[in-house]
């Protein structure tokens, strides 16, 4: 057993290294901001060069992108995105720019905020939103970005933008839906990349259904006994089946046929028979495909073996995957056209949400408090109601930064049920399998995490060295 002094020293080293790493990450963000400032300077030079020379505007812009792409060994598309982010910081997002300069957010956060801000900028420019909408957007976006990962920031800032410029978001989504397409590109070595550009809710539903089917195959293949079709055991032009031989036929010698078929492969005694494990018998190979390989094979089989048919209905009628959508009652009733929310992803066209609602009976009515927090669900059976409440509140794994959707998570008693933890919504939340395992009782204390839930639904994780990390539940109502 390790000496207590060594344990303390190890914990101190873990804290020291963690603190140094966090500060290094902040310094990297500061350097990323300095890089963006240099791009802002270059944009200013570019704009001066265009004075009196606007005819070559596109050529000058492409030349600027190409030079920085070549000098930095960065893909031109990535470089163009960096220039766009820099220009937006300069022109529209001064508060985000200042926060970035201090290293409080990263370039990845800035990219997500800039992308979401474009709809607010467009709405302001076309008079569909007040000029104050941009500062309000920045304030709300930074409140999220300084607490969350860039991936988790994305749906938050998209929803903020939708609340401030809902009509513009819907128009953009409907325009973008016209760009759906399918392409194929050779990758060499007999492989190709099949790309489909689809509405996000459709793509997520397809991926979820493929994943669920793959999980079913992966579970079944470990327990299922192979079934051999007797019709194919003896094949060929002159195949002979038992029905072709009469019982009184001299050729129907059961013992001889048995010996010819199995030979030394069968061990028998006292009427009991078993297959000799050392015999040279052909075995059916196990399914050794990886999860991704099975998923790709299912996609191929479904596309190549199925025919589109009006009898099957349209895509909405055949969604058997799990996606979660939140829509206001007034929008569902058609009283307004406010965007719905595709939980965990961003705004959803209300027309799509209404169509999904009309084809699904699994909707639950949610009651929200003034801050937008889910406080109750309108269901009858307690267990079902609690699960629906937790799904609606959590949306994803409640470990900080994790975005695994709730239907791939496990419901955890934050205070262990075996130690008196209550089965109540303020002691329950969703964790993915990876993060759930962190707090398992069998994990040694020096590696084990713990989690506690506060009355407002915030889950606080405590690391083995005593650091705490909060994961706050999402608010559904952002602006009233």
């Amino acid at each position: 057993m390790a000496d207590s002094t060594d344990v303390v020293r190890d914990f101190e080293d873990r804290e020291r290294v963690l603190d140094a790493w966090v500060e290094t990450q902040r310094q990297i963000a500061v350097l990323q901001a300095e890089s963006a400032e240099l791009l802002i300077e270059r944009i200013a030079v570019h704009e001066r060069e265009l004075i009196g020379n606007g005819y070559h505007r596109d050529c000058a812009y492409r030349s600027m992108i190409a030079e920085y792409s070549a000098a930095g060994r960065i893909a031109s598309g990535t470089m163009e995105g960096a220039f766009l982010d820099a220009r937006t910081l300069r022109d529209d997002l001064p508060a985000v720019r200042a926060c970035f300069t201090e290293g409080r957010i990263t370039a990845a956060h800035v990219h997500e905020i800039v992308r979401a801000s474009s709809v607010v900028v467009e709405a302001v420019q076309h008079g569909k939103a007040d000029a104050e909408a941009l500062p309000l957007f920045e304030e709300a976006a930074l409140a999220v970005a300084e607490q969350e990962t860039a991936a988790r920031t994305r749906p938050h800032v998209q929803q903020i933008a939708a609340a401030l410029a809902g009509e513009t978001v819907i128009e953009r989504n409907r325009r973008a839906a016209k760009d759906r397409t399918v392409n194929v590109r050779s990758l060499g070595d007999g492989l190709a990349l099949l790309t489909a550009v689809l509405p996000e809710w459709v793509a997520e539903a397809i991926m979820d259904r493929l994943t669920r089917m793959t999980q079913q195959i992966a579970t079944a293949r470990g327990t299922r006994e192979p079934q051999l079709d007797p019709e194919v055991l003896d094949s060929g032009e002159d195949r002979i089946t038992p029905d072709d031989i009469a019982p009184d036929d001299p050729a129907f010698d059961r013992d001889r046929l048995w010996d010819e078929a199995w030979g030394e492969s069968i061990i028998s005694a006292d009427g009991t028979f078993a297959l000799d494990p050392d015999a040279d018998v052909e075995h059916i190979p196990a399914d050794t495909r990886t999860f991704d390989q099975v998923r790709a094979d299912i996609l191929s089989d479904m596309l190549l073996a199925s025919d589109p048919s009006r009898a099957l209905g349209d895509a909405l009628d055949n969604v058997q995957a799990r996606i979660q959508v939140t829509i206001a009652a007034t929008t569902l009733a058609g009283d307004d056209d406010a965007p719905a929310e595709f939980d965990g992803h961003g705004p959803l066209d209300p027309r799509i949400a209404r169509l999904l609602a009309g084809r699904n009976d699994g909707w639950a009515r949610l009651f929200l408090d003034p801050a937008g927090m889910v406080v109750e669900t309108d269901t009858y059976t307690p267990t079902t109601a609690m699960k629906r409440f937790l799904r609606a509140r959590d949306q994803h794994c409640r470990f900080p930064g994790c975005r695994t959707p709730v239907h791939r998570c496990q419901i955890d008693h934050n205070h262990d049920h075996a130690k008196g933890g209550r089965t109540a919504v303020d002691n329950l939340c969703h964790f993915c399998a990876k993060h759930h395992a962190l707090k398992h009782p069998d994990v040694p204390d020096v590696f084990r995490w713990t989690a506690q839930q506060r009355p407002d639904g915030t889950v606080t994780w405590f690391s083995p060295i005593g650091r705490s990390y909060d994961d706050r539940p999402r608010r559904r109502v952002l602006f009233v």
Side-chain angles (χ1 to χ4, degrees):
M1 182 176 180
D3 185 85
S4 59
T5 304
D6 293 335
V7 172
V8 171
R9 186 183 302 113
D10 288 343
F11 271 68
E12 290 175 347
D13 287 343
R14 287 159 71 174
E15 286 190 285
R16 175 183 56 79
V17 173
L18 176 61
D19 288 338
W21 180 83
V22 170
E23 176 58 22
T24 300
Q25 291 297 113
R26 190 194 69 80
Q27 293 174 5
I28 290 173
V30 170
L31 289 173
Q32 290 174 329
E34 291 180 7
S35 175
E37 291 297 326
L38 292 172
L39 296 184
I40 290 174
E41 286 188 34
R42 181 61 181 89
I43 291 171
V45 173
H46 169 70
E47 291 172 344
R48 289 198 302 269
E49 291 172 341
L50 294 179
I51 297 176
N53 197 26
Y55 181 76
H56 298 291
R57 179 183 300 272
D58 290 342
C59 181
Y61 180 74
R62 289 196 300 270
S63 176
M64 178 180 69
I65 298 296
E67 183 169 14
Y68 277 74
S69 175
R73 300 186 298 280
I74 299 173
S76 59
T78 302
M79 198 67 245
E80 187 169 6
F83 269 102
L84 176 60
D85 290 352
R87 184 189 297 274
T88 305
L89 286 175
R90 183 196 67 176
D91 296 344
D92 304 311
L93 303 173
V96 174
R97 182 180 179 181
C99 188
F100 189 24
T101 301
E102 296 172 8
R104 290 153 53 193
I105 56 175
T106 68
H109 289 92
V110 170
H111 183 65
E112 298 300 343
I113 294 173
V114 167
R115 287 179 59 190
S117 71
S118 63
V119 297
V120 184
V121 172
E122 182 180 330
V124 172
Q125 290 175 344
H126 290 83
K128 296 180 179 179
D130 296 333
E132 292 78 13
L134 267 174
L136 187 57
F137 170 81
E138 284 192 278
E139 182 181 355
L142 288 175
V144 173
E146 291 189 57
Q147 300 293 330
E148 297 283 9
T149 64
R152 274 203 184 178
T153 297
R154 182 188 310 123
H156 280 276
V157 293
Q158 287 178 346
Q159 193 64 21
I160 294 168
L164 290 169
E167 183 180 351
T168 302
V169 170
I170 296 169
E171 292 172 354
R172 287 166 62 103
N173 285 351
R174 291 174 181 174
R175 288 200 303 266
K178 297 178 181 178
D179 295 332
R180 56 192 186 277
T181 183
V182 177
N183 295 293
V184 65
R185 176 171 62 87
S186 175
L187 298 177
D189 298 325
L191 294 176
L193 177 66
L194 180 67
T195 305
V197 178
L198 302 167
E200 187 174 24
W201 71 271
V202 175
E204 289 292 340
I206 291 172
M207 190 64 176
D208 185 79
R209 188 181 184 199
L210 288 173
T211 299
R212 292 173 65 194
M213 296 175 74
T214 303
Q215 289 170 337
Q216 186 175 4
I217 290 175
T219 301
R221 68 184 177 185
T223 57
R224 187 183 62 185
E225 292 292 334
Q227 300 294 325
L228 300 181
D229 185 353
E231 294 297 322
V232 302
L233 293 179
D234 184 12
S235 58
E237 296 181 359
D238 299 322
R239 61 186 296 238
I240 299 177
T241 68
D243 294 336
D244 296 325
I245 305 177
D248 57 351
D249 191 306
F252 190 70
D253 186 338
R254 187 182 300 275
D255 293 335
R256 180 178 62 80
L257 292 174
W258 178 275
D259 290 339
E260 289 179 355
W262 296 104
E264 303 295 327
S265 301
I266 294 295
I267 303 173
S268 63
D270 299 328
T272 301
F273 299 86
L275 186 66
D276 186 350
D278 297 323
D280 184 18
V281 178
E282 181 179 1
H283 293 276
I284 299 175
D287 187 350
T288 59
R289 295 175 296 173
T290 66
F291 196 91
D292 282 336
Q293 289 170 346
V294 174
R295 188 157 48 190
D297 292 344
I298 292 174
L299 175 64
S300 302
D301 291 344
M302 293 180 69
L303 289 176
L304 294 175
S306 302
D307 294 321
S309 171
R310 290 186 178 274
L312 296 177
D314 59 22
L316 291 169
D317 291 320
N318 287 281
V319 172
Q320 299 176 27
R322 295 166 296 188
I323 60 175
Q324 186 162 310
V325 173
T326 302
I327 182 172
T330 53
T331 307
L332 185 61
D335 295 338
D336 60 58
D337 233 13
E341 182 180 358
F342 180 17
D343 291 352
H345 297 276
L348 179 67
D349 188 330
R351 294 188 305 184
I352 299 297
R354 293 189 195 104
L355 289 172
L356 286 170
R359 291 165 166 81
N360 192 294
D361 58 3
W363 289 82
R365 183 157 54 116
L366 307 181
F367 296 88
L368 311 177
D369 65 14
M373 182 69 64
V374 177
V375 294
E376 186 181 347
T377 60
D378 186 19
T379 50
Y380 296 96
T381 307
T383 301
T384 301
M386 291 168 64
K387 289 181 178 179
R388 288 192 172 184
F389 174 93
L390 293 170
R391 285 198 300 268
R393 184 196 66 187
D394 294 345
Q395 299 188 39
H396 47 59
C397 169
R398 295 298 305 281
F399 187 87
C402 185
R403 297 188 65 241
T404 303
V406 289
H407 54 261
R408 297 178 193 164
C409 293
Q410 304 158 350
I411 296 179
D412 171 74
H413 285 76
N414 302 152
H415 178 50
D416 194 348
H417 185 266
K419 297 180 180 179
R422 297 177 303 118
T423 303
V425 292
D426 58 1
N427 188 48
L428 299 172
C429 63
H430 287 86
F431 296 147
C432 67
K434 178 176 65 176
H435 290 124
H436 200 176
L438 290 177
K439 62 188 294 291
H440 195 278
D442 292 341
V443 176
D445 289 343
V446 293
F447 305 120
R448 187 159 64 89
W449 290 62
T450 58
Q452 295 179 2
Q453 188 174 159
R454 301 178 188 173
D456 66 352
T458 296
V459 176
T460 301
W461 283 82
F462 297 91
S463 77
I465 62 175
R467 298 292 176 88
S468 62
Y469 305 92
D470 290 341
D471 184 83
R472 297 174 176 82
R474 283 196 63 188
R475 264 63 176 174
R476 299 306 188 94
V477 180
L478 298 169
F479 299 97
V480 181

